[in-house]
Amino acid sequence: MGPPKSSVWQYFTKTDEKTASCKKCFKTVRFCGNTSNLHKHLKSHPDYTAPVNNNDKISVRKKKETDHFAEVRSQSKEIVPVLPGVSTLTSTKSNTQSESDSDLHLMQMRGDNTLKCMFENVTSQKKGGMKYNNINMCILYFICKDMRPFNVVEGEGFLKLMKELAPYYKVPSSTHFKKLLCDKYDIVKMEYTLRISNATELCVTLDIWTETMNEKSFLGVTVHFLEKTALTSSNIATRELQSNHTAEYISEVFGEILKGWDIPLSKVTCAVTDNGANMVAAIKKTLGDAKHLPCFAHTINLIVDSSLKNTSTVITSLINKVRDIVKWVKNSVIQSDKLRKIQIDSGVPEGSTKKFILDVKTRWNSLYYMVDRFLDMSKIAAQLLLDATDSPELGSGQEIEILKQLIPLLQPFEFVTRESSGQNYVTLSKVIPMINCLTTQLTKFSSSMECVTQLQTKLLAECKKRFGLIEFNTLAALATILDPRFKNLHFQDANACGRAIQKLKNIIKEDTSISTSGSEDETANEDFDFWSHHKQLAVGQKRRRASSKADEVSIYLANPVCALKANPLEEWEDLKPVFPALYKQARIYLNVVGTSVPCERLFSKAGATVTASRNRLTGKHLEKLIFLGSTTKSDFFS
């Protein structure tokens, strides 16, 4: 065989008689007797320009045919669509014999782009082709994002669908997608590791979940960090636990997870967990006492549960009556059908009928939602219960009135739990203000029912017991002061407020003395801000009211708070030129989340992933599936 003459070989290295390696991207490309695939691959590189070579001259005849094709296409009234797998061209509605002959002539030409695209599409769907790889990646994304089993690719319906969409694509086996999952996980993990390493401070949340189908336990870890003005979170681990859940073992596994993601312990500002003794001890053993924060939502849930258990038996017996009615309806298909029929007969559209809600002990606010829905459907429930002889007791009108007064008493707790459970906005800085507003709402509440008043007193006592020293928590106090929406407005203890302000001043003073030498270089590297002078003038109006020798913290606190709906991270971008030292601290403390709810959401995904159809899923694959399923579309396909 003579030496290769085509100029395309200057971009490729032959590996064997049928494959060659691209010198640009090192991808292996197959060829068979010609260089068409090699040319096609080079065109995928944006910086590729076709080389000029005497061996690649186009014959005069081919030029004439190409020119003739272009002329006919330009005179055509309608562009012929190119469809994969279609072997004929579709003519227009007013197709004449001459136009049909022209289309037939175009198909017979060697330079026909329609045929060329068709053949390229067929080749691309074959194993190793670009479209083949893209389809594989989309199927993997479908498996991860929609929590489907790997053997979905072997189902008859799925194969029929793929045959219709891509006739020349052969769906690989489930084993192939398991291998593809591991490869994709390694790539995306490297990208996220780089993003995490660029963050100055991190916050992590931890929780343990037991998968009941196979009786396995997992430690979930989510990491939270700032990217410009956006809070970013990632489910970095769903690690299977192989031993007793002691503090030492949890600390060991947690340390291995951080090490696997190249996260130094010094970079973790805070770890948020529930109030379990083993979790608290594990964090203190790994990070120290000052870096643990109990979950705010867990504590709110404990306040409500404890108050209901230790208050008047009238309320607990009423809640049990409501629970019995809800169970009676839900456990009977006949009663459920009657409930639906009553609503439809009263004019409710069939798709808008409501159901009773049953509370679950581990589901926060579910008791509130159960009672609220029952009161909303109490008239329908009465009609349903009167028509049955085996129905539970409905309760008197006075008891229904007690439930009605119970709802506004519990509503603030529902709002606080829901508001603090976000992970895409700042939450820790809301804890102290929400506690202040919560106790104020409870104090102002009044009821004509003695049992409801007793519950009110118990709730206030529990709030004071569990949150009485929250203002002395350094993380929560500094986050609140550094939030431009709250600052020091909601502090009830003057000593706690003064302690937090002095702590912030000391941190800034120490940080400024360390970084003084590099301040000029840092300023030079900052992004250009044309309106920085305007921002300094705007804040300067308030600065004149303060002493000329006042520090950043005093000047900052002298300014009014911003709107409650404002994004504090975006507000700090405007305040950055005036308060550079405070800006740095705000980026650290406003990044901390107030609850471990992100881990709860992680386990909700894990529970939906481990199902009866995939009960043999290994912990290794589960962790990778959940991680890739939590990534955005742009991150997955980048």
Side-chain angles (χ1 to χ4, degrees), residues 423-440:
Q423 66 185 67
N424 297 322
Y425 53 86
V426 176
T427 54
L428 181 60
S429 62
K430 290 184 175 182
V431 170
I432 292 177
M434 284 195 297
I435 292 173
N436 185 23
C437 293
L438 176 63
T439 53
T440 303

Side-chain angles (χ1 to χ4, degrees), residues 447-458:
S447 172
S448 58
M449 300 294 178
E450 183 180 354
C451 58
V452 179
T453 304
Q454 291 177 1
L455 178 60
Q456 175 191 6
T457 305
K458 186 62 179 177

Side-chain angles (χ1 to χ4, degrees), residues 83-98:
L83 299 175
V86 179
S87 59
T88 60
L89 297 176
T90 305
S91 58
T92 60
K93 292 181 179 180
S94 58
N95 189 18
T96 61
Q97 183 64 34
S98 60

Side-chain angles (χ1 to χ4, degrees), residues 548-597:
S548 58
K549 296 182 180 180
D551 59 289
E552 278 193 20
V553 178
S554 301
I555 300 172
Y556 164 73
L557 293 176
N559 282 270
V561 295
C562 63
L564 191 59
K565 293 184 178 181
N567 184 344
L569 298 174
E570 294 178 355
E571 292 292 327
W572 268 111
E573 291 301 318
D574 293 336
L575 297 173
K576 179 180 179 181
V578 186
F579 307 115
L582 277 177
Y583 170 82
K584 183 178 179 181
Q585 299 305 315
R587 300 277 295 181
I588 295 174
Y589 290 99
L590 293 181
N591 177 50
V592 180
V593 295
T595 69
S596 61
V597 172

Side-chain angles (χ1 to χ4, degrees), residues 197-211:
S197 65
N198 292 332
T200 55
E201 302 289 340
L202 302 173
C203 172
V204 296
T205 63
L206 294 86
D207 203 358
I208 293 178
W209 166 70
T210 300
E211 187 266 301

Side-chain angles (χ1 to χ4, degrees), residues 95-108:
N95 189 18
T96 61
Q97 183 64 34
S98 60
E99 290 174 337
S100 299
D101 294 341
S102 176
D103 287 341
L104 182 61
H105 175 62
L106 291 176
M107 290 179 58
Q108 294 173 346

Side-chain angles (χ1 to χ4, degrees), residues 198-242:
N198 292 332
T200 55
E201 302 289 340
L202 302 173
C203 172
V204 296
T205 63
L206 294 86
D207 203 358
I208 293 178
W209 166 70
T210 300
E211 187 266 301
T212 56
M213 189 169 297
N214 295 312
E215 296 300 328
K216 293 181 179 180
S217 297
F218 297 87
L219 175 66
V221 180
T222 66
V223 64
H224 308 264
F225 55 96
L226 288 177
E227 289 182 319
K228 295 182 179 180
T229 60
L231 276 168
T232 304
S233 61
S234 177
N235 303 327
I236 62 173
T238 311
R239 192 65 49 87
E240 184 177 349
L241 300 177
Q242 306 289 348

